[in-house]
Amino acid sequence: MSFELRPYQADAVDSIYKYFMSNSGNPLIVMPTGTGKSIVIDEFISRALRDYPETRILCLVHVRELIAQNHKALIKMWPDAPAGIYSAGLGKRDKHAQILFAGIQSVYKKINQFDPFDLVLIDEAHLIPRNSDTMYGAAIKALRNSNRNIKVVGFTATPFRKDSGMLHQGDEALFSDICYECDIASMIAQGYLTEVVPKVTSVQLDVTGVEKQGGDFVLSQLEAAVNRLDITEQAVQEIVTKGKDRGSWLCFCSGVKHAMAVAEAIRGHGIDCETVTGETPTKERDRILDDFKTGKLRAITNANVLTTGFDAPGVDLIAMLRPTASTGLHVQMIGRGTRLAEGKEDCLVLDFAGNTGRHGPLDRLNIKKPGKGGDGDAPVKECPQCWTYVHASIRICPHCDYIFPPPEVKISRRSQEDALLTSQIKERFVDVSRCEYRPHTSKKSGSRTMRVDYWCGNMKHSEYVCFDHEGFPRTKAEQWFKKRLPGHPVPASVDEALDCSYPTPKQIAVIPEGKYTRISKVKF
C-alpha cells in the first residue's frame, strides 16, 4: 500500500496525531472542496491501523453517495483494507467490519448493536446541527457510553453552520478546535484548484420580502419570488450567451419547479439539459449524473441536492439561481467548480442570486457569529468593463486591467479588514533588506508569539509566528519554520525559536489588507 501525498495532505494527517498528543478534544480538519479530503481520511485510517492494529474506526457521513464514494476511495488506495459499508440506502450491513463506512440515518438508533469503536471520523461535518439532541448527538453519546476514550475527528470544507457560526464555538459545539486548515486562495495559487471567476449578471433575482428561518430563506417563499417565466428566460439567455465556450454547466435553482423551468428554457436553446432533485428516482439520478460527468450531457439544473458529495471535475460554469443567506451553502455551490480537469482553465460563476455580494470573497467570508447578526452587504464591487466581482479595495481589475476611479475621501472610524481572494489579486513582490525577530505579547489575550519584521527599504511588513500555541496556529508555525530551516527540529516555544539563526528572504509578496499588509509568499 503506497500513495504519495501532496505536502499539505501529509501535514493534515500529521496534525491529527500532534493534536491528540497534547489535547483531549475533538479536532476539525478544514480543506476546500477538491483538495483531496478523502485521501487525507484514507491515509489517516491506514496509518492508525498500522500503528494500532486493533483499532476500530467508524466513518460517518450524511449523504448516501459519499458512503460508497469514500469506501471506494479507500479500497482503491488499500485493496486489502478490512472495510465495509452499513447503509440501508445501499442495501449493505457489514456490521462487524473493522473500518465501517456508515450513514448516520442507518446507525444512530443501533449503535448499541455494534462492537465498541475507538475512532469516529465525520465527513461533511458542517451538516451536524448544533443541538446535541439529534442523530449525531445521540450516536456520539451512545459511542462514548461504550468507549469513554473514543476520539472524534471532523472533516469539512466549510467549518461553519448557516445559523450559528463556527463549528467549534458555542456551548453545545461537538468540536473543540481546528487542528489543520488550508485556505482556498493558497490552493488555487499553488495549482491544486482551478480559478473561479465570479461575474456580475444583468439579471438579478429579487428576494425582497422573503423571510428567513434557521439561517436561510424560507424555500417556499423563495421559489415563489424567483420562479417567474420572464426572469427565467432572461437569465437562461445570459447563461447561453456567456457559456457558449463552456462545456459543462451546473445550475443551482430555488426549488423543484424552478429547476424544471430553467431546464426547459435551456432546452429551448437547443442544449441538452436535465434536472436532478430529491424526488428524482435513484437509477434515473445516477444515469443523469453519469451522463453529465462523461460529457454526454452539457447542462444540469438541480434543487438542493448537488451541493455536498457531488464530484464532477469538468464543471466550468456555475449558474447561481439560488439566493442563500447561508455562507456554507454559498461556498459549497461554488466548490463544485474548483476541481481541476484536463483542458479546464477556470470556472465561470454567473451569480444571478447576489450571493457574492451577500457573503463576500471566498477567503474573507462574512461568517455569522452565534447570537450576532450577519446580514450586511459584503465589501465587493463590480468591474464596469468585464463585469467581474472584485473586492471593494481593489483599484485595478485583475481580469481586464480596468482602472477604477479614486474613491471619495471620507472620514471613517472603521478600517477595512477584508481582502479579495488571493488568486485574484496581483501580488506585489518587494526586496527584503533585513529581518528582525522579537517576542510579542498580545495585550488582549496575553499569548506570546514571535514577531518577524521584514524591512524593505524604509517600509516594514510584519507577521506573527505562534510557536507557543496549539492546533492550527502551531501547525502554521511549524510550516513557517520548515521553509527556513528544513531538517532542523522545530522549536517547542517562542524562546527556542528566537535562539535560531534564520536566512534572510530575498523577496516577500505582500497583499494590502486595510491599513496593514499580509505576507503571502517568501522567496529565498
Side-chain angles (χ1 to χ4, degrees), residues 209-269:
V210 177
E211 297 176 344
K212 295 177 185 175
Q213 186 175 25
D216 206 351
F217 296 113
V218 176
L219 287 177
S220 58
Q221 295 182 22
L222 179 65
E223 184 171 34
V226 305
N227 188 22
R228 293 172 43 192
L229 181 60
D230 57 334
I231 296 296
T232 296
E233 290 180 346
Q234 291 177 51
V236 167
Q237 178 62 61
E238 202 162 346
I239 294 171
V240 172
T241 300
K242 293 181 176 177
K244 63 180 186 299
D245 297 324
R246 303 278 169 167
S248 190
W249 306 353
L250 178 59
C251 306
F252 291 99
C253 303
S254 298
V256 174
K257 293 180 180 179
H258 188 218
M260 296 175 68
V262 173
E264 184 177 353
I266 291 175
R267 287 193 295 269
H269 288 268

Coordinates of all heavy atoms in Angstrom, one line a residue, residues 209-269:
G209 N -38.7 40.8 0.7 CA -39.9 40.3 1.4 C -39.8 38.9 1.7 O -40.7 38.3 2.5
V210 N -38.8 38.1 1.2 CA -38.7 36.7 1.5 C -38.2 36.5 3.0 O -37.1 37.1 3.3 CB -37.8 36.0 0.5 CG1 -37.6 34.5 0.9 CG2 -38.3 36.1 -0.9
E211 N -38.9 35.8 3.8 CA -38.5 35.7 5.2 C -37.4 34.6 5.3 O -37.1 33.8 4.5 CB -39.7 35.2 6.0 CG -40.8 36.3 6.0 CD -42.0 35.8 6.8 OE1 -42.1 34.6 7.0 OE2 -42.9 36.6 7.1
K212 N -36.7 34.7 6.5 CA -35.6 33.7 6.8 C -36.0 32.9 8.0 O -36.7 33.3 8.9 CB -34.3 34.5 7.1 CG -33.7 35.2 5.9 CD -32.5 36.0 6.4 CE -32.0 36.8 5.2 NZ -30.8 37.7 5.6
Q213 N -35.6 31.6 8.0 CA -35.8 30.7 9.1 C -34.7 29.7 9.2 O -34.2 29.2 8.1 CB -37.2 30.0 8.8 CG -37.6 29.1 10.0 CD -38.9 28.5 9.8 OE1 -39.4 28.3 8.7 NE2 -39.6 28.1 10.9
G214 N -34.1 29.5 10.3 CA -33.0 28.6 10.5 C -31.8 29.1 9.8 O -30.9 28.2 9.4
G215 N -31.6 30.4 9.5 CA -30.4 30.9 8.9 C -30.4 30.9 7.4 O -29.4 31.3 6.8
D216 N -31.6 30.7 6.8 CA -31.6 30.8 5.3 C -33.1 31.2 4.9 O -34.0 31.2 5.8 CB -31.3 29.5 4.7 CG -30.7 29.7 3.2 OD1 -30.8 30.8 2.7 OD2 -30.2 28.7 2.7
F217 N -33.2 31.5 3.6 CA -34.5 31.9 3.2 C -35.5 30.8 3.2 O -35.2 29.6 3.0 CB -34.4 32.4 1.7 CG -33.6 33.6 1.5 CD1 -32.4 33.6 0.8 CD2 -34.0 34.9 2.1 CE1 -31.6 34.7 0.7 CE2 -33.2 36.0 1.9 CZ -32.0 35.9 1.2
V218 N -36.8 31.1 3.5 CA -37.8 30.1 3.5 C -38.0 29.6 2.1 O -38.4 30.4 1.2 CB -39.1 30.7 4.1 CG1 -40.3 29.6 4.0 CG2 -38.9 31.1 5.5
L219 N -37.8 28.3 1.8 CA -37.8 27.8 0.5 C -39.1 28.1 -0.3 O -39.0 28.4 -1.5 CB -37.4 26.3 0.5 CG -36.0 26.0 0.8 CD1 -35.8 24.5 0.9 CD2 -35.0 26.6 -0.2
S220 N -40.2 27.9 0.3 CA -41.5 28.1 -0.4 C -41.6 29.5 -0.9 O -42.0 29.8 -2.0 CB -42.6 27.6 0.5 OG -42.7 28.4 1.7
Q221 N -41.3 30.4 0.0 CA -41.3 31.9 -0.4 C -40.3 32.2 -1.4 O -40.5 33.0 -2.3 CB -41.2 32.7 0.9 CG -42.3 32.6 1.9 CD -42.1 33.5 3.1 OE1 -41.4 34.5 3.0 NE2 -42.7 33.2 4.2
L222 N -39.1 31.6 -1.3 CA -38.0 31.9 -2.2 C -38.4 31.5 -3.6 O -38.2 32.3 -4.6 CB -36.7 31.2 -1.7 CG -35.5 31.4 -2.6 CD1 -35.1 32.9 -2.6 CD2 -34.4 30.5 -2.1
E223 N -38.9 30.3 -3.7 CA -39.2 29.8 -5.1 C -40.4 30.6 -5.7 O -40.3 31.0 -6.9 CB -39.6 28.3 -5.0 CG -39.9 27.8 -6.4 CD -40.1 26.3 -6.4 OE1 -40.7 25.7 -5.4 OE2 -39.7 25.6 -7.4
A224 N -41.3 31.0 -4.9 CA -42.4 31.8 -5.4 C -41.9 33.2 -5.8 O -42.5 33.7 -6.8 CB -43.5 32.0 -4.3
A225 N -40.9 33.7 -5.2 CA -40.4 35.0 -5.6 C -39.5 35.0 -6.9 O -39.6 36.0 -7.6 CB -39.5 35.6 -4.4
V226 N -38.8 33.9 -7.1 CA -37.9 33.9 -8.2 C -38.3 33.1 -9.4 O -37.8 33.3 -10.5 CB -36.5 33.4 -7.8 CG1 -36.0 34.2 -6.6 CG2 -36.5 31.9 -7.4
N227 N -39.3 32.2 -9.2 CA -39.7 31.3 -10.3 C -40.7 32.1 -11.2 O -41.9 31.8 -11.2 CB -40.3 30.0 -9.8 CG -40.6 29.0 -10.9 OD1 -40.0 29.1 -12.0 ND2 -41.4 28.1 -10.7
R228 N -40.2 33.0 -12.0 CA -41.0 33.8 -12.9 C -40.5 33.6 -14.3 O -39.3 33.6 -14.6 CB -41.0 35.3 -12.6 CG -41.6 35.6 -11.2 CD -41.3 37.0 -10.8 NE -41.5 38.0 -12.0 CZ -41.1 39.2 -11.9 NH1 -40.5 39.7 -10.9 NH2 -41.3 40.0 -13.0
L229 N -41.4 33.3 -15.3 CA -41.1 32.9 -16.6 C -40.2 33.9 -17.3 O -39.2 33.6 -17.9 CB -42.3 32.6 -17.4 CG -42.1 32.2 -18.9 CD1 -41.3 30.9 -18.9 CD2 -43.4 32.1 -19.6
D230 N -40.6 35.2 -17.2 CA -39.8 36.3 -17.8 C -38.4 36.4 -17.3 O -37.4 36.5 -18.1 CB -40.5 37.6 -17.7 CG -40.8 38.0 -16.3 OD1 -40.9 37.1 -15.4 OD2 -40.9 39.2 -16.0
I231 N -38.2 36.3 -16.0 CA -36.9 36.3 -15.4 C -36.1 35.1 -15.8 O -34.9 35.2 -16.1 CB -37.0 36.4 -13.8 CG1 -37.7 37.7 -13.4 CG2 -35.6 36.4 -13.2 CD1 -37.0 39.0 -13.8
T232 N -36.7 33.9 -15.7 CA -36.0 32.7 -16.1 C -35.5 32.8 -17.5 O -34.3 32.4 -17.8 CB -36.9 31.5 -15.9 OG1 -37.3 31.4 -14.5 CG2 -36.3 30.2 -16.4
E233 N -36.3 33.2 -18.4 CA -35.9 33.3 -19.8 C -34.7 34.3 -20.0 O -33.8 34.0 -20.8 CB -37.1 33.7 -20.7 CG -38.1 32.5 -20.8 CD -39.3 32.9 -21.7 OE1 -39.4 34.1 -22.0 OE2 -40.1 32.0 -22.1
Q234 N -34.8 35.4 -19.3 CA -33.7 36.4 -19.4 C -32.4 35.8 -18.8 O -31.3 35.9 -19.4 CB -34.1 37.6 -18.7 CG -35.2 38.4 -19.3 CD -35.5 39.7 -18.5 OE1 -34.6 40.4 -18.1 NE2 -36.8 39.8 -18.2
A235 N -32.5 35.1 -17.7 CA -31.3 34.5 -17.1 C -30.7 33.4 -18.0 O -29.5 33.4 -18.1 CB -31.7 34.0 -15.7
V236 N -31.6 32.6 -18.5 CA -31.1 31.5 -19.4 C -30.4 32.0 -20.6 O -29.4 31.5 -21.1 CB -32.2 30.5 -19.7 CG1 -31.8 29.6 -20.8 CG2 -32.6 29.7 -18.5
Q237 N -31.0 33.1 -21.2 CA -30.4 33.7 -22.4 C -28.9 34.2 -22.0 O -28.0 34.0 -22.8 CB -31.2 34.9 -22.8 CG -30.6 35.7 -24.0 CD -30.5 34.8 -25.3 OE1 -31.5 34.3 -25.8 NE2 -29.3 34.6 -25.7
E238 N -28.8 34.7 -20.8 CA -27.5 35.2 -20.4 C -26.5 34.0 -20.2 O -25.3 34.0 -20.5 CB -27.6 36.0 -19.1 CG -26.4 36.9 -18.8 CD -26.8 38.0 -17.8 OE1 -28.0 38.2 -17.5 OE2 -25.8 38.6 -17.3
I239 N -27.0 32.9 -19.6 CA -26.2 31.7 -19.4 C -25.7 31.1 -20.8 O -24.6 30.8 -21.0 CB -27.0 30.6 -18.7 CG1 -27.3 31.0 -17.3 CG2 -26.2 29.2 -18.7 CD1 -28.3 30.1 -16.6
V240 N -26.7 31.1 -21.7 CA -26.3 30.6 -23.1 C -25.3 31.5 -23.8 O -24.3 31.0 -24.4 CB -27.6 30.5 -23.9 CG1 -27.3 30.1 -25.4 CG2 -28.6 29.4 -23.4
T241 N -25.5 32.8 -23.6 CA -24.5 33.7 -24.3 C -23.1 33.6 -23.7 O -22.1 33.5 -24.4 CB -25.1 35.1 -24.2 OG1 -26.3 35.2 -24.8 CG2 -24.1 36.1 -24.8
K242 N -23.1 33.7 -22.3 CA -21.8 33.8 -21.7 C -21.2 32.4 -21.5 O -20.0 32.2 -21.3 CB -21.9 34.4 -20.3 CG -22.3 35.9 -20.4 CD -22.4 36.5 -19.0 CE -22.7 38.0 -19.1 NZ -22.9 38.7 -17.8
G243 N -22.0 31.3 -21.7 CA -21.4 30.0 -21.6 C -21.2 29.3 -22.9 O -21.0 28.1 -22.9
K244 N -21.2 30.0 -24.0 CA -21.1 29.4 -25.3 C -19.8 28.6 -25.4 O -19.7 27.6 -26.2 CB -21.3 30.4 -26.4 CG -20.2 31.5 -26.5 CD -20.5 32.4 -27.6 CE -19.4 33.5 -27.9 NZ -19.3 34.4 -26.7
D245 N -18.7 29.1 -24.8 CA -17.4 28.4 -24.9 C -17.1 27.5 -23.7 O -16.0 27.0 -23.5 CB -16.3 29.5 -25.0 CG -16.4 30.3 -26.2 OD1 -16.8 29.7 -27.3 OD2 -16.1 31.5 -26.2
R246 N -18.2 27.3 -22.9 CA -18.0 26.4 -21.7 C -18.7 25.1 -22.0 O -19.7 25.0 -22.6 CB -18.7 27.1 -20.5 CG -18.1 28.5 -20.2 CD -16.9 28.4 -19.4 NE -16.2 29.6 -19.3 CZ -15.2 29.9 -18.4 NH1 -14.7 28.9 -17.6 NH2 -14.5 31.0 -18.4
G247 N -18.1 24.0 -21.4 CA -18.5 22.7 -21.8 C -19.5 22.0 -20.8 O -20.2 21.1 -21.2
S248 N -19.5 22.4 -19.5 CA -20.2 21.7 -18.5 C -20.9 22.7 -17.5 O -20.2 23.3 -16.7 CB -19.2 20.8 -17.8 OG -19.9 19.9 -16.9
W249 N -22.2 22.8 -17.7 CA -22.9 23.8 -16.9 C -23.7 23.2 -15.7 O -24.4 22.2 -15.9 CB -24.0 24.5 -17.8 CG -23.5 25.1 -19.0 CD1 -22.2 25.3 -19.5 CD2 -24.3 25.7 -20.1 NE1 -22.1 25.9 -20.7 CE2 -23.4 26.2 -21.1 CE3 -25.6 25.9 -20.2 CZ2 -23.8 26.8 -22.2 CZ3 -26.1 26.5 -21.4 CH2 -25.2 27.0 -22.4
L250 N -23.5 23.7 -14.5 CA -24.2 23.3 -13.4 C -25.0 24.4 -12.8 O -24.5 25.5 -12.4 CB -23.3 22.8 -12.3 CG -23.8 22.3 -11.0 CD1 -24.8 21.1 -11.2 CD2 -22.7 21.8 -10.0
C251 N -26.4 24.3 -12.8 CA -27.3 25.4 -12.4 C -27.9 25.0 -11.0 O -28.6 24.0 -10.9 CB -28.3 25.6 -13.4 SG -27.7 25.9 -15.1
F252 N -27.8 25.9 -10.1 CA -28.4 25.8 -8.8 C -29.7 26.6 -8.7 O -29.6 27.8 -9.0 CB -27.5 26.2 -7.6 CG -26.3 25.3 -7.5 CD1 -25.1 25.6 -8.0 CD2 -26.4 24.1 -6.8 CE1 -24.0 24.7 -7.9 CE2 -25.4 23.2 -6.6 CZ -24.1 23.5 -7.2
C253 N -30.8 26.0 -8.5 CA -32.1 26.6 -8.6 C -32.8 26.7 -7.2 O -32.3 26.1 -6.2 CB -33.0 25.9 -9.6 SG -32.2 25.8 -11.2
S254 N -33.9 27.4 -7.1 CA -34.5 27.7 -5.8 C -35.7 26.8 -5.5 O -36.5 27.1 -4.6 CB -35.0 29.2 -5.9 OG -33.9 30.0 -6.0
G255 N -35.8 25.7 -6.2 CA -36.9 24.7 -5.9 C -37.1 23.8 -7.0 O -36.5 24.0 -8.1
V256 N -37.9 22.8 -6.8 CA -38.1 21.7 -7.9 C -38.7 22.3 -9.1 O -38.3 22.1 -10.3 CB -39.0 20.6 -7.3 CG1 -39.3 19.6 -8.4 CG2 -38.3 19.9 -6.2
K257 N -39.8 23.1 -8.9 CA -40.5 23.7 -10.1 C -39.5 24.7 -10.8 O -39.5 24.8 -12.1 CB -41.8 24.4 -9.7 CG -42.8 23.4 -9.2 CD -44.1 24.2 -8.7 CE -45.2 23.3 -8.2 NZ -46.4 24.0 -7.8
H258 N -38.8 25.4 -10.1 CA -37.8 26.4 -10.6 C -36.8 25.7 -11.4 O -36.4 26.0 -12.6 CB -37.2 27.2 -9.5 CG -36.3 28.3 -10.0 ND1 -35.2 28.7 -9.4 CD2 -36.5 29.2 -11.1 CE1 -34.6 29.7 -10.1 NE2 -35.4 30.0 -11.1
A259 N -36.2 24.6 -10.9 CA -35.2 23.8 -11.6 C -35.7 23.2 -12.9 O -35.0 23.2 -13.9 CB -34.7 22.6 -10.7
M260 N -37.0 22.8 -12.9 CA -37.6 22.2 -14.1 C -37.8 23.3 -15.2 O -37.6 23.1 -16.4 CB -38.9 21.5 -13.8 CG -38.7 20.3 -12.9 SD -40.2 19.5 -12.3 CE -40.8 18.8 -13.9
A261 N -38.2 24.5 -14.7 CA -38.5 25.6 -15.6 C -37.2 26.1 -16.2 O -37.1 26.4 -17.4 CB -39.1 26.8 -14.8
V262 N -36.1 26.2 -15.5 CA -34.8 26.6 -16.0 C -34.3 25.5 -17.0 O -33.8 25.9 -18.1 CB -33.8 26.8 -14.9 CG1 -32.4 27.0 -15.4 CG2 -34.2 27.9 -14.0
A263 N -34.5 24.3 -16.7 CA -34.0 23.2 -17.7 C -34.8 23.3 -19.0 O -34.2 23.2 -20.1 CB -34.2 21.8 -17.0
E264 N -36.1 23.5 -18.9 CA -36.9 23.6 -20.1 C -36.5 24.8 -20.9 O -36.4 24.7 -22.2 CB -38.4 23.8 -19.7 CG -39.3 23.8 -20.9 CD -40.8 23.9 -20.5 OE1 -41.1 23.8 -19.3 OE2 -41.6 24.0 -21.4
A265 N -36.1 25.9 -20.3 CA -35.7 27.1 -21.0 C -34.3 26.9 -21.7 O -34.1 27.3 -22.8 CB -35.6 28.3 -20.0
I266 N -33.5 26.1 -21.0 CA -32.2 25.8 -21.6 C -32.3 24.9 -22.8 O -31.7 25.1 -23.9 CB -31.2 25.2 -20.6 CG1 -30.8 26.2 -19.5 CG2 -30.0 24.6 -21.2 CD1 -30.0 25.6 -18.4
R267 N -33.2 23.9 -22.7 CA -33.5 23.0 -23.8 C -34.1 23.8 -25.0 O -33.9 23.5 -26.2 CB -34.4 21.9 -23.4 CG -33.8 20.9 -22.5 CD -34.6 19.6 -22.4 NE -35.9 19.9 -21.7 CZ -36.0 19.8 -20.4 NH1 -35.0 19.4 -19.6 NH2 -37.2 20.0 -19.8
G268 N -34.8 24.9 -24.7 CA -35.4 25.7 -25.7 C -34.3 26.4 -26.6 O -34.6 26.8 -27.7
H269 N -33.1 26.4 -26.2 CA -32.0 27.0 -27.0 C -31.2 25.8 -27.7 O -30.1 26.1 -28.2 CB -31.0 27.8 -26.1 CG -31.6 29.1 -25.6 ND1 -31.4 30.3 -26.3 CD2 -32.4 29.4 -24.5 CE1 -32.0 31.2 -25.7 NE2 -32.6 30.8 -24.6

